[in-house]
PDB file of all heavy atoms in Angstrom:
ATOM      1  N   VAL N   1      98.320  98.596 113.078  1.00  0.00           N
ATOM      2  CA  VAL N   1      98.601  99.837 112.369  1.00  0.00           C
ATOM      3  C   VAL N   1      99.578  99.483 111.251  1.00  0.00           C
ATOM      4  O   VAL N   1     100.612  98.848 111.502  1.00  0.00           O
ATOM      5  CB  VAL N   1      99.216 100.912 113.279  1.00  0.00           C
ATOM      6  CG1 VAL N   1      99.674 102.113 112.460  1.00  0.00           C
ATOM      7  CG2 VAL N   1      98.218 101.349 114.341  1.00  0.00           C
ATOM      8  N   SER N   2      99.233  99.868 110.027  1.00  0.00           N
ATOM      9  CA  SER N   2     100.073  99.506 108.890  1.00  0.00           C
ATOM     10  C   SER N   2     100.522 100.738 108.129  1.00  0.00           C
ATOM     11  O   SER N   2      99.832 101.762 108.103  1.00  0.00           O
ATOM     12  CB  SER N   2      99.317  98.569 107.939  1.00  0.00           C
ATOM     13  OG  SER N   2      98.110  99.172 107.494  1.00  0.00           O
ATOM     14  N   LEU N   3     101.703 100.644 107.539  1.00  0.00           N
ATOM     15  CA  LEU N   3     102.228 101.650 106.624  1.00  0.00           C
ATOM     16  C   LEU N   3     102.341 100.992 105.260  1.00  0.00           C
ATOM     17  O   LEU N   3     102.914  99.899 105.137  1.00  0.00           O
ATOM     18  CB  LEU N   3     103.595 102.160 107.071  1.00  0.00           C
ATOM     19  CG  LEU N   3     103.631 103.192 108.208  1.00  0.00           C
ATOM     20  CD1 LEU N   3     103.340 102.535 109.547  1.00  0.00           C
ATOM     21  CD2 LEU N   3     104.976 103.897 108.235  1.00  0.00           C
ATOM     22  N   LEU N   4     101.791 101.652 104.237  1.00  0.00           N
ATOM     23  CA  LEU N   4     101.745 101.067 102.907  1.00  0.00           C
ATOM     24  C   LEU N   4     102.235 102.075 101.875  1.00  0.00           C
ATOM     25  O   LEU N   4     101.944 103.271 101.993  1.00  0.00           O
ATOM     26  CB  LEU N   4     100.310 100.655 102.555  1.00  0.00           C
ATOM     27  CG  LEU N   4      99.631  99.673 103.512  1.00  0.00           C
ATOM     28  CD1 LEU N   4      98.141  99.634 103.235  1.00  0.00           C
ATOM     29  CD2 LEU N   4     100.244  98.294 103.367  1.00  0.00           C
ATOM     30  N   ARG N   5     102.928 101.589 100.878  1.00  0.00           N
ATOM     31  CA  ARG N   5     103.337 102.489  99.808  1.00  0.00           C
ATOM     32  C   ARG N   5     102.088 102.975  99.072  1.00  0.00           C
ATOM     33  O   ARG N   5     101.141 102.221  98.858  1.00  0.00           O
ATOM     34  CB  ARG N   5     104.295 101.802  98.857  1.00  0.00           C
ATOM     35  CG  ARG N   5     103.655 100.784  97.931  1.00  0.00           C
ATOM     36  CD  ARG N   5     104.680 100.221  96.960  1.00  0.00           C
ATOM     37  NE  ARG N   5     104.039  99.433  95.900  1.00  0.00           N
ATOM     38  CZ  ARG N   5     104.697  98.822  94.939  1.00  0.00           C
ATOM     39  NH1 ARG N   5     106.015  98.876  94.909  1.00  0.00           N
ATOM     40  NH2 ARG N   5     104.047  98.147  94.019  1.00  0.00           N
ATOM     41  N   SER N   6     102.068 104.239  98.689  1.00  0.00           N
ATOM     42  CA  SER N   6     100.943 104.776  97.925  1.00  0.00           C
ATOM     43  C   SER N   6     101.398 105.291  96.565  1.00  0.00           C
ATOM     44  O   SER N   6     100.709 106.084  95.933  1.00  0.00           O
ATOM     45  CB  SER N   6     100.238 105.894  98.706  1.00  0.00           C
ATOM     46  OG  SER N   6     101.138 106.889  99.122  1.00  0.00           O
ATOM     47  N   GLY N   7     102.551 104.807  96.115  1.00  0.00           N
ATOM     48  CA  GLY N   7     103.089 105.137  94.802  1.00  0.00           C
ATOM     49  C   GLY N   7     103.654 103.883  94.162  1.00  0.00           C
ATOM     50  O   GLY N   7     103.566 102.784  94.730  1.00  0.00           O
ATOM     51  N   PRO N   8     104.262 104.003  92.995  1.00  0.00           N
ATOM     52  CA  PRO N   8     104.741 102.818  92.270  1.00  0.00           C
ATOM     53  C   PRO N   8     106.032 102.216  92.819  1.00  0.00           C
ATOM     54  O   PRO N   8     106.366 101.079  92.496  1.00  0.00           O
ATOM     55  CB  PRO N   8     104.959 103.348  90.846  1.00  0.00           C
ATOM     56  CG  PRO N   8     105.245 104.806  91.035  1.00  0.00           C
ATOM     57  CD  PRO N   8     104.417 105.240  92.203  1.00  0.00           C
ATOM     58  N   GLN N   9     106.753 102.957  93.663  1.00  0.00           N
ATOM     59  CA  GLN N   9     108.054 102.488  94.132  1.00  0.00           C
ATOM     60  C   GLN N   9     107.979 101.981  95.571  1.00  0.00           C
ATOM     61  O   GLN N   9     107.126 102.395  96.355  1.00  0.00           O
ATOM     62  CB  GLN N   9     109.079 103.619  94.044  1.00  0.00           C
ATOM     63  CG  GLN N   9     109.384 104.067  92.621  1.00  0.00           C
ATOM     64  CD  GLN N   9     110.376 105.207  92.594  1.00  0.00           C
ATOM     65  OE1 GLN N   9     110.131 106.276  93.127  1.00  0.00           O
ATOM     66  NE2 GLN N   9     111.531 104.966  91.974  1.00  0.00           N
ATOM     67  N   ALA N  10     108.891 101.072  95.894  1.00  0.00           N
ATOM     68  CA  ALA N  10     109.000 100.601  97.270  1.00  0.00           C
ATOM     69  C   ALA N  10     109.341 101.772  98.192  1.00  0.00           C
ATOM     70  O   ALA N  10     109.949 102.760  97.769  1.00  0.00           O
ATOM     71  CB  ALA N  10     110.081  99.525  97.371  1.00  0.00           C
ATOM     72  N   VAL N  11     108.943 101.659  99.449  1.00  0.00           N
ATOM     73  CA  VAL N  11     109.197 102.732 100.406  1.00  0.00           C
ATOM     74  C   VAL N  11     110.465 102.436 101.203  1.00  0.00           C
ATOM     75  O   VAL N  11     110.921 101.298 101.281  1.00  0.00           O
ATOM     76  CB  VAL N  11     107.997 102.926 101.360  1.00  0.00           C
ATOM     77  CG1 VAL N  11     106.755 103.279 100.565  1.00  0.00           C
ATOM     78  CG2 VAL N  11     107.759 101.671 102.205  1.00  0.00           C
ATOM     79  N   ARG N  12     111.014 103.483 101.784  1.00  0.00           N
ATOM     80  CA  ARG N  12     112.210 103.364 102.618  1.00  0.00           C
ATOM     81  C   ARG N  12     111.845 103.876 104.004  1.00  0.00           C
ATOM     82  O   ARG N  12     111.435 105.031 104.159  1.00  0.00           O
ATOM     83  CB  ARG N  12     113.373 104.157 102.017  1.00  0.00           C
ATOM     84  CG  ARG N  12     113.805 103.675 100.648  1.00  0.00           C
ATOM     85  CD  ARG N  12     114.756 104.648  99.965  1.00  0.00           C
ATOM     86  NE  ARG N  12     115.930 104.915 100.786  1.00  0.00           N
ATOM     87  CZ  ARG N  12     116.391 106.142 101.047  1.00  0.00           C
ATOM     88  NH1 ARG N  12     115.741 107.215 100.577  1.00  0.00           N
ATOM     89  NH2 ARG N  12     117.462 106.312 101.777  1.00  0.00           N
ATOM     90  N   LEU N  13     112.007 103.012 105.007  1.00  0.00           N
ATOM     91  CA  LEU N  13     111.605 103.337 106.372  1.00  0.00           C
ATOM     92  C   LEU N  13     112.782 103.174 107.319  1.00  0.00           C
ATOM     93  O   LEU N  13     113.570 102.222 107.203  1.00  0.00           O
ATOM     94  CB  LEU N  13     110.470 102.412 106.835  1.00  0.00           C
ATOM     95  CG  LEU N  13     109.209 102.359 105.976  1.00  0.00           C
ATOM     96  CD1 LEU N  13     108.273 101.267 106.491  1.00  0.00           C
ATOM     97  CD2 LEU N  13     108.510 103.704 105.963  1.00  0.00           C
ATOM     98  N   ARG N  14     112.907 104.106 108.270  1.00  0.00           N
ATOM     99  CA  ARG N  14     113.813 103.930 109.399  1.00  0.00           C
ATOM    100  C   ARG N  14     112.964 103.505 110.588  1.00  0.00           C
ATOM    101  O   ARG N  14     111.909 104.087 110.864  1.00  0.00           O
ATOM    102  CB  ARG N  14     114.556 105.223 109.722  1.00  0.00           C
ATOM    103  CG  ARG N  14     115.512 105.076 110.932  1.00  0.00           C
ATOM    104  CD  ARG N  14     116.079 106.408 111.378  1.00  0.00           C
ATOM    105  NE  ARG N  14     116.819 107.056 110.301  1.00  0.00           N
ATOM    106  CZ  ARG N  14     116.528 108.243 109.808  1.00  0.00           C
ATOM    107  NH1 ARG N  14     115.491 108.927 110.294  1.00  0.00           N
ATOM    108  NH2 ARG N  14     117.247 108.768 108.843  1.00  0.00           N
ATOM    109  N   ILE N  15     113.421 102.487 111.337  1.00  0.00           N
ATOM    110  CA  ILE N  15     112.641 101.943 112.446  1.00  0.00           C
ATOM    111  C   ILE N  15     113.370 102.200 113.764  1.00  0.00           C
ATOM    112  O   ILE N  15     114.541 101.822 113.922  1.00  0.00           O
ATOM    113  CB  ILE N  15     112.411 100.432 112.292  1.00  0.00           C
ATOM    114  CG1 ILE N  15     111.703 100.140 110.953  1.00  0.00           C
ATOM    115  CG2 ILE N  15     111.578  99.896 113.456  1.00  0.00           C
ATOM    116  CD1 ILE N  15     111.567  98.652 110.667  1.00  0.00           C
ATOM    117  N   SER N  16     112.655 102.832 114.704  1.00  0.00           N
ATOM    118  CA  SER N  16     113.190 103.057 116.047  1.00  0.00           C
ATOM    119  C   SER N  16     112.257 102.408 117.064  1.00  0.00           C
ATOM    120  O   SER N  16     111.037 102.374 116.867  1.00  0.00           O
ATOM    121  CB  SER N  16     113.308 104.554 116.352  1.00  0.00           C
ATOM    122  OG  SER N  16     114.142 105.204 115.409  1.00  0.00           O
ATOM    123  N   VAL N  17     112.831 101.901 118.140  1.00  0.00           N
ATOM    124  CA  VAL N  17     112.062 101.300 119.230  1.00  0.00           C
ATOM    125  C   VAL N  17     112.493 101.973 120.527  1.00  0.00           C
ATOM    126  O   VAL N  17     113.678 101.959 120.873  1.00  0.00           O
ATOM    127  CB  VAL N  17     112.277  99.772 119.318  1.00  0.00           C
ATOM    128  CG1 VAL N  17     111.471  99.194 120.475  1.00  0.00           C
ATOM    129  CG2 VAL N  17     111.887  99.096 118.010  1.00  0.00           C
ATOM    130  N   ASP N  18     111.557 102.588 121.192  1.00  0.00           N
ATOM    131  CA  ASP N  18     111.821 103.303 122.446  1.00  0.00           C
ATOM    132  C   ASP N  18     112.965 104.315 122.289  1.00  0.00           C
ATOM    133  O   ASP N  18     113.849 104.430 123.143  1.00  0.00           O
ATOM    134  CB  ASP N  18     112.126 102.317 123.572  1.00  0.00           C
ATOM    135  CG  ASP N  18     110.909 101.495 123.962  1.00  0.00           C
ATOM    136  OD1 ASP N  18     109.776 101.983 123.781  1.00  0.00           O
ATOM    137  OD2 ASP N  18     111.087 100.354 124.435  1.00  0.00           O
ATOM    138  N   GLY N  19     112.926 105.027 121.167  1.00  0.00           N
ATOM    139  CA  GLY N  19     113.883 106.097 120.946  1.00  0.00           C
ATOM    140  C   GLY N  19     115.231 105.667 120.405  1.00  0.00           C
ATOM    141  O   GLY N  19     116.085 106.521 120.120  1.00  0.00           O
ATOM    142  N   ARG N  20     115.435 104.389 120.207  1.00  0.00           N
ATOM    143  CA  ARG N  20     116.712 103.891 119.699  1.00  0.00           C
ATOM    144  C   ARG N  20     116.519 103.342 118.289  1.00  0.00           C
ATOM    145  O   ARG N  20     115.646 102.498 118.065  1.00  0.00           O
ATOM    146  CB  ARG N  20     117.253 102.796 120.612  1.00  0.00           C
ATOM    147  CG  ARG N  20     118.580 102.198 120.155  1.00  0.00           C
ATOM    148  CD  ARG N  20     119.076 101.186 121.165  1.00  0.00           C
ATOM    149  NE  ARG N  20     120.297 100.535 120.720  1.00  0.00           N
ATOM    150  CZ  ARG N  20     120.936  99.587 121.398  1.00  0.00           C
ATOM    151  NH1 ARG N  20     120.452  99.191 122.585  1.00  0.00           N
ATOM    152  NH2 ARG N  20     122.034  99.034 120.934  1.00  0.00           N
ATOM    153  N   VAL N  21     117.325 103.811 117.343  1.00  0.00           N
ATOM    154  CA  VAL N  21     117.215 103.331 115.967  1.00  0.00           C
ATOM    155  C   VAL N  21     117.657 101.874 115.910  1.00  0.00           C
ATOM    156  O   VAL N  21     118.763 101.528 116.318  1.00  0.00           O
ATOM    157  CB  VAL N  21     118.069 104.186 115.007  1.00  0.00           C
ATOM    158  CG1 VAL N  21     118.036 103.585 113.604  1.00  0.00           C
ATOM    159  CG2 VAL N  21     117.581 105.619 114.989  1.00  0.00           C
ATOM    160  N   ARG N  22     116.746 101.025 115.419  1.00  0.00           N
ATOM    161  CA  ARG N  22     117.041  99.598 115.322  1.00  0.00           C
ATOM    162  C   ARG N  22     117.317  99.161 113.888  1.00  0.00           C
ATOM    163  O   ARG N  22     117.965  98.147 113.657  1.00  0.00           O
ATOM    164  CB  ARG N  22     115.869  98.791 115.879  1.00  0.00           C
ATOM    165  CG  ARG N  22     115.687  98.927 117.373  1.00  0.00           C
ATOM    166  CD  ARG N  22     116.850  98.289 118.115  1.00  0.00           C
ATOM    167  NE  ARG N  22     116.660  98.318 119.567  1.00  0.00           N
ATOM    168  CZ  ARG N  22     117.486  97.728 120.426  1.00  0.00           C
ATOM    169  NH1 ARG N  22     118.546  97.072 119.992  1.00  0.00           N
ATOM    170  NH2 ARG N  22     117.263  97.809 121.734  1.00  0.00           N
ATOM    171  N   MET N  23     116.802  99.905 112.925  1.00  0.00           N
ATOM    172  CA  MET N  23     117.066  99.590 111.518  1.00  0.00           C
ATOM    173  C   MET N  23     117.130 100.906 110.760  1.00  0.00           C
ATOM    174  O   MET N  23     116.147 101.653 110.706  1.00  0.00           O
ATOM    175  CB  MET N  23     115.994  98.666 110.943  1.00  0.00           C
ATOM    176  CG  MET N  23     116.274  98.237 109.507  1.00  0.00           C
ATOM    177  SD  MET N  23     115.142  96.950 108.925  1.00  0.00           S
ATOM    178  CE  MET N  23     115.730  95.533 109.883  1.00  0.00           C
ATOM    179  N   GLU N  24     118.298 101.182 110.182  1.00  0.00           N
ATOM    180  CA  GLU N  24     118.496 102.449 109.483  1.00  0.00           C
ATOM    181  C   GLU N  24     117.645 102.549 108.224  1.00  0.00           C
ATOM    182  O   GLU N  24     117.163 103.620 107.890  1.00  0.00           O
ATOM    183  CB  GLU N  24     119.971 102.637 109.131  1.00  0.00           C
ATOM    184  CG  GLU N  24     120.864 102.945 110.320  1.00  0.00           C
ATOM    185  CD  GLU N  24     120.653 104.366 110.848  1.00  0.00           C
ATOM    186  OE1 GLU N  24     119.922 105.144 110.210  1.00  0.00           O
ATOM    187  OE2 GLU N  24     121.231 104.682 111.898  1.00  0.00           O
ATOM    188  N   GLU N  25     117.466 101.432 107.533  1.00  0.00           N
ATOM    189  CA  GLU N  25     116.680 101.485 106.308  1.00  0.00           C
ATOM    190  C   GLU N  25     116.048 100.125 106.027  1.00  0.00           C
ATOM    191  O   GLU N  25     116.744  99.109 105.942  1.00  0.00           O
ATOM    192  CB  GLU N  25     117.538 101.904 105.120  1.00  0.00           C
ATOM    193  CG  GLU N  25     116.742 102.023 103.826  1.00  0.00           C
ATOM    194  CD  GLU N  25     117.616 102.389 102.635  1.00  0.00           C
ATOM    195  OE1 GLU N  25     118.439 101.530 102.217  1.00  0.00           O
ATOM    196  OE2 GLU N  25     117.488 103.512 102.137  1.00  0.00           O
ATOM    197  N   LEU N  26     114.720 100.142 105.910  1.00  0.00           N
ATOM    198  CA  LEU N  26     113.972  98.978 105.450  1.00  0.00           C
ATOM    199  C   LEU N  26     113.312  99.369 104.134  1.00  0.00           C
ATOM    200  O   LEU N  26     112.523 100.307 104.089  1.00  0.00           O
ATOM    201  CB  LEU N  26     112.906  98.571 106.477  1.00  0.00           C
ATOM    202  CG  LEU N  26     111.904  97.508 106.030  1.00  0.00           C
ATOM    203  CD1 LEU N  26     112.604  96.167 105.787  1.00  0.00           C
ATOM    204  CD2 LEU N  26     110.790  97.345 107.069  1.00  0.00           C
ATOM    205  N   VAL N  27     113.654  98.651 103.070  1.00  0.00           N
ATOM    206  CA  VAL N  27     113.048  98.889 101.759  1.00  0.00           C
ATOM    207  C   VAL N  27     111.994  97.815 101.544  1.00  0.00           C
ATOM    208  O   VAL N  27     112.308  96.615 101.572  1.00  0.00           O
ATOM    209  CB  VAL N  27     114.101  98.852 100.635  1.00  0.00           C
ATOM    210  CG1 VAL N  27     113.445  99.129  99.280  1.00  0.00           C
ATOM    211  CG2 VAL N  27     115.210  99.847 100.919  1.00  0.00           C
ATOM    212  N   CYS N  28     110.734  98.232 101.339  1.00  0.00           N
ATOM    213  CA  CYS N  28     109.638  97.273 101.354  1.00  0.00           C
ATOM    214  C   CYS N  28     108.393  97.895 100.738  1.00  0.00           C
ATOM    215  O   CYS N  28     108.372  99.076 100.386  1.00  0.00           O
ATOM    216  CB  CYS N  28     109.347  96.847 102.791  1.00  0.00           C
ATOM    217  SG  CYS N  28     108.961  98.255 103.868  1.00  0.00           S
ATOM    218  N   ASP N  29     107.342  97.090 100.622  1.00  0.00           N
ATOM    219  CA  ASP N  29     106.044  97.628 100.214  1.00  0.00           C
ATOM    220  C   ASP N  29     105.317  98.267 101.390  1.00  0.00           C
ATOM    221  O   ASP N  29     104.398  99.059 101.200  1.00  0.00           O
ATOM    222  CB  ASP N  29     105.170  96.528  99.628  1.00  0.00           C
ATOM    223  CG  ASP N  29     105.506  96.231  98.174  1.00  0.00           C
ATOM    224  OD1 ASP N  29     106.316  96.972  97.585  1.00  0.00           O
ATOM    225  OD2 ASP N  29     104.959  95.262  97.623  1.00  0.00           O
ATOM    226  N   GLY N  30     105.717  97.888 102.606  1.00  0.00           N
ATOM    227  CA  GLY N  30     105.092  98.443 103.796  1.00  0.00           C
ATOM    228  C   GLY N  30     105.497  97.668 105.028  1.00  0.00           C
ATOM    229  O   GLY N  30     106.290  96.723 104.963  1.00  0.00           O
ATOM    230  N   ALA N  31     104.967  98.078 106.173  1.00  0.00           N
ATOM    231  CA  ALA N  31     105.250  97.403 107.444  1.00  0.00           C
ATOM    232  C   ALA N  31     104.058  97.627 108.360  1.00  0.00           C
ATOM    233  O   ALA N  31     103.257  98.547 108.155  1.00  0.00           O
ATOM    234  CB  ALA N  31     106.533  97.938 108.075  1.00  0.00           C
ATOM    235  N   LEU N  32     103.941  96.780 109.359  1.00  0.00           N
ATOM    236  CA  LEU N  32     102.830  96.916 110.299  1.00  0.00           C
ATOM    237  C   LEU N  32     103.258  96.505 111.694  1.00  0.00           C
ATOM    238  O   LEU N  32     104.225  95.754 111.880  1.00  0.00           O
ATOM    239  CB  LEU N  32     101.621  96.111 109.841  1.00  0.00           C
ATOM    240  CG  LEU N  32     101.739  94.588 109.713  1.00  0.00           C
ATOM    241  CD1 LEU N  32     101.521  93.870 111.049  1.00  0.00           C
ATOM    242  CD2 LEU N  32     100.723  94.056 108.704  1.00  0.00           C
ATOM    243  N   VAL N  33     102.497  97.002 112.666  1.00  0.00           N
ATOM    244  CA  VAL N  33     102.617  96.568 114.059  1.00  0.00           C
ATOM    245  C   VAL N  33     101.264  95.999 114.448  1.00  0.00           C
ATOM    246  O   VAL N  33     100.225  96.652 114.269  1.00  0.00           O
ATOM    247  CB  VAL N  33     103.005  97.730 114.990  1.00  0.00           C
ATOM    248  CG1 VAL N  33     103.007  97.263 116.445  1.00  0.00           C
ATOM    249  CG2 VAL N  33     104.379  98.284 114.616  1.00  0.00           C
ATOM    250  N   SER N  34     101.266  94.776 114.976  1.00  0.00           N
ATOM    251  CA  SER N  34     100.022  94.063 115.256  1.00  0.00           C
ATOM    252  C   SER N  34      99.905  93.696 116.727  1.00  0.00           C
ATOM    253  O   SER N  34     100.900  93.379 117.389  1.00  0.00           O
ATOM    254  CB  SER N  34      99.948  92.781 114.415  1.00  0.00           C
ATOM    255  OG  SER N  34      98.867  91.967 114.818  1.00  0.00           O
ATOM    256  N   THR N  35      98.678  93.722 117.232  1.00  0.00           N
ATOM    257  CA  THR N  35      98.368  93.183 118.550  1.00  0.00           C
ATOM    258  C   THR N  35      98.200  91.669 118.439  1.00  0.00           C
ATOM    259  O   THR N  35      98.029  91.130 117.338  1.00  0.00           O
ATOM    260  CB  THR N  35      97.063  93.788 119.080  1.00  0.00           C
ATOM    261  OG1 THR N  35      95.976  93.346 118.237  1.00  0.00           O
ATOM    262  CG2 THR N  35      97.112  95.303 119.092  1.00  0.00           C
ATOM    263  N   PRO N  36      98.195  90.947 119.565  1.00  0.00           N
ATOM    264  CA  PRO N  36      97.881  89.515 119.488  1.00  0.00           C
ATOM    265  C   PRO N  36      96.517  89.243 118.852  1.00  0.00           C
ATOM    266  O   PRO N  36      96.383  88.318 118.049  1.00  0.00           O
ATOM    267  CB  PRO N  36      97.919  89.082 120.956  1.00  0.00           C
ATOM    268  CG  PRO N  36      98.915  90.001 121.579  1.00  0.00           C
ATOM    269  CD  PRO N  36      98.681  91.321 120.909  1.00  0.00           C
ATOM    270  N   ALA N  37      95.505  90.052 119.177  1.00  0.00           N
ATOM    271  CA  ALA N  37      94.170  89.835 118.616  1.00  0.00           C
ATOM    272  C   ALA N  37      94.161  90.004 117.107  1.00  0.00           C
ATOM    273  O   ALA N  37      93.401  89.339 116.400  1.00  0.00           O
ATOM    274  CB  ALA N  37      93.165  90.793 119.250  1.00  0.00           C
TER     275      ALA N  37
END
């Protein structure tokens, strides 16, 4: 599952794992979560 910017600017994402915020701000073109396959 991927998140991608759909505009000209980088996106800002907050990342939480199991309800706990692990990263307040990630500035990037996108992010993804991948299975081993």
Side-chain angles (χ1 to χ4, degrees):
V1 172
S2 57
L3 281 74
L4 303 166
R5 74 176 191 181
S6 53
Q9 294 179 299
V11 300
R12 298 168 56 229
L13 304 173
R14 179 189 301 121
I15 303 174
S16 302
V17 179
D18 292 333
R20 179 176 176 181
V21 175
R22 291 293 184 174
M23 184 171 289
E24 288 288 353
E25 182 182 69
L26 171 65
V27 181
C28 57
D29 279 353
L32 62 84
V33 175
S34 171
T35 66

